[in-house]
Amino acid sequence: MRILVVGGGGREHALTWMCARSGRADVLFAAPGNAGIAEHATIWDIAATDAQALARAVRKHQIDLVIIGPDAALEAGVADACAAAGALVFGPTRAAARIESSKSFAKQLMDDARIPTARWVAGTSADRQSLLDFARARQGKVAVKADGLALGKGVTVCQSVSAAENALASCFDDHRHGPAGDVVIVEELLTGRELSAFAICDGAHARLLPLARDYKRAFDGDQGPNTGGMGSYCPPMGVAADALIDSVTADIITPCLTALRERGTPFRGCLYAGLMLTAAGPRVLEFNARFGDPEAQVLMPLIESSQLFDLVIAAARGELEADGRVTACAAGVTVVAACRDYPASATYGAEIDLPSELPESAVIFQAGTTRDGDGTLRTSGGRVLAVSATGADLAAARSSAYDIIARVRFDGMRYRHDIAAP
Ligand code: AMP
Ligand code: GLY
């Protein structure tokens, strides 16, 4: 089987690694890839969002299966273009990916399908007064969200009316998120633990992967700005994961798949529900149309690669046939190494020193990396790499991940020290 992985971050390294390890891939390609992905796949110098160029390459190289990582590629119609070029595609069409690319679409769908989520209003700058009234009625304790894709930076959690006013002004007056912020959602704040749920979907059925926890803030103790994610672990502490997965399937994933199918846009790919476990039960904070990053890096080593690959293919073919769940074989911890100023900026060109040997139970997934002509590995992005380690329990996985990351070096390297801390 000839496979193309679209994207070039840590998530896509994990996906490519899974394909290589499954034994099912004869030839692997990636676009645009990174230095880590290049160890498993032939790299095409094509942007992840260049749907037409990707479709041409898919045809030329007779690709059987395309696996799409980033939301921006889905939004750019890469799934549609590659399917039209004759490949099986794991990743939803642009229309089905609206579940991620438009928060107001997602919220309306959730209300229509009775999927539990925070109460909300949406509007443009003309509706500023009613948006503010909603915030005032809640003493300003609201989340203000740009409707469109905003690189994970579109949400402002507010604790006062003036903070909510400022968040609206930054969307409507300063156009901080560009056109993605022309429509804004204001929703009530929920409290509880956050968890990420991932479902491999074929349009009708879903196989739930193990639940993972993600750390979005830049610094220890959940301080600092929101990032794409600084670390992850699985299984989540303090929850009865199996029972929760079954209720998430029944109350959240299946109704979402049904609603998308009824709208004529069946969802094939990884449906990711960002959940808040409130006192009243799980609530959806957001849906995404792809794997999480870095959750993919923690999950891939915990699931048998051939089993996951077979599910991905079955989903792309529309042949999953039944709902169910996939179990993890151990506990896993992923710690992201970022450059000093991430998420504000990225650094380029710092030499990266990796440990010469890793235990079998660990892997380094690269994200912002390139290799020089002379073979030197260098940084080329904000999140540079992630160490993923598995162990019999979280404590073992955690100590292994931190032992290894302490042996990774590049100028300006920074990571959180409290991933999976008890
Ligand atoms: P999102 O991109 O919608 O997942 O939001 C990013 C982060 O903002 C989430 O991981 C939460 O920590 C926080 N957040 C979003 N919506 C809410 C909400 N309704 N209540 C509390 N926190 C929220
Ligand atoms: N880790 C959060 C995300 O991928 O959106």
Side-chain angles (χ1 to χ4, degrees):
M1 184 163 257
R2 298 166 67 79
I3 297 166
L4 167 66
V5 174
V6 175
R11 165 183 52 209
E12 289 77 23
H13 189 183
L15 288 166
T16 313
W17 177 87
M18 179 275 288
C19 290
R21 212 169 59 141
S22 72
R24 307 282 206 261
D26 302 309
V27 193
L28 270 165
F29 300 91
N34 63 36
I37 293 171
E39 289 169 20
H40 309 286
T42 302
I43 301 296
W44 292 343
D45 186 16
I46 304 176
T49 49
D50 192 341
Q52 291 316 315
L54 288 168
R56 278 194 300 276
V58 159
R59 217 176 252 124
K60 179 171 163 204
H61 294 272
Q62 300 182 323
I63 299 297
D64 300 300
L65 171 69
V66 180
I67 301 176
I68 302 173
D71 45 345
L74 299 167
E75 161 91 338
V78 171
D80 310 66
C82 291
L88 286 169
V89 178
F90 185 80
T93 59
R94 184 164 192 263
R98 279 190 84 200
I99 196 70
E100 171 165 10
S101 63
S102 168
K103 287 188 191 278
S104 56
F105 172 83
K107 293 294 283 190
Q108 191 60 56
L109 180 144
M110 285 190 255
D111 282 0
D112 294 347
R114 299 177 181 279
I115 295 170
T117 189
R119 274 181 290 185
W120 62 289
V121 285
T124 63
S125 101
D127 309 305
R128 195 188 293 232
Q129 201 49 50
S130 60
L131 298 176
L132 265 177
D133 289 345
F134 181 94
R136 277 204 192 93
R138 289 161 183 79
Q139 288 82 45
K141 295 191 189 327
V142 291
V144 174
K145 306 186 172 187
D147 183 61
L149 296 178
L151 300 168
K153 294 168 191 160
V155 177
T156 311
V157 172
C158 305
Q159 300 291 349
S160 67
V161 174
S162 66
E165 270 170 340
N166 290 340
L168 288 175
S170 100
C171 291
F172 294 145
D173 304 333
D174 308 338
H175 304 284
R176 182 166 162 237
H177 306 295
D182 288 349
V183 172
V184 168
I185 317 295
V186 181
E187 63 177 46
E188 65 181 344
L189 278 195
L190 302 173
T191 49
R193 280 174 214 254
E194 277 186 56
L195 280 181
S196 307
F198 299 92
I200 306 292
C201 302
D202 73 345
H205 296 291
R207 294 292 165 83
L208 274 280
L209 303 185
L211 298 166
R213 161 103 206 267
D214 173 28
Y215 290 76
K216 286 211 168 71
R217 299 296 198 94
F219 306 125
D220 289 13
D222 289 332
Q223 301 299 306
N226 263 324
T227 70
M230 294 298 293
S232 184
Y233 74 86
C234 168
M237 291 174 223
V239 292
D242 286 355
L244 183 58
I245 285 181
D246 290 343
S247 78
V248 167
T249 308
D251 302 336
I252 292 171
I253 301 295
T254 302
C256 182
L257 289 183
T258 304
L260 284 168
R261 203 169 61 242
E262 285 171 358
R263 282 163 167 74
T265 57
F267 186 100
R268 284 188 182 167
C270 179
L271 182 61
Y272 161 172
L275 303 174
M276 183 78 90
L277 300 186
T278 72
R283 298 279 180 272
V284 177
L285 293 179
E286 62 166 351
F287 278 115
N288 294 313
R290 50 172 177 85
F291 285 103
D293 185 340
E295 293 97 319
Q297 292 91 308
V298 84
L299 291 176
M300 296 296 147
L302 291 177
I303 303 169
E304 214 208 308
S305 296
S306 55
Q307 183 193 9
L308 184 57
F309 186 87
D310 289 348
L311 285 177
V312 163
I313 275 280
R317 289 194 171 119
E319 293 175 354
L320 271 186
E321 284 172 359
D323 293 338
R325 55 181 139 88
V326 176
T327 47
C329 58
V333 174
T334 295
V335 184
V336 170
C339 66
R340 191 182 289 121
D341 295 328
Y342 175 74
S345 66
T347 49
Y348 295 86
E351 189 172 336
I352 305 169
D353 197 10
L354 296 181
S356 51
E357 284 192 21
L358 291 182
E360 281 241 321
S361 56
V363 49
I364 293 179
F365 292 120
Q366 298 183 24
T369 63
T370 56
R371 222 174 259 287
D372 272 358
D374 68 2
T376 308
L377 192 63
R378 294 190 186 275
T379 62
S380 72
R383 288 190 292 181
V384 174
L385 55 82
V387 174
S388 287
T390 61
D393 54 27
L394 278 176
R398 176 169 202 270
S399 90
S400 169
Y402 276 107
D403 280 351
I404 294 164
I405 206 161
R407 293 191 278 129
V408 173
R409 286 204 174 79
F410 58 86
D411 197 30
M413 171 171 149
R414 176 172 73 70
Y415 57 89
R416 276 183 65 158
H417 302 83
D418 59 349
I419 307 301

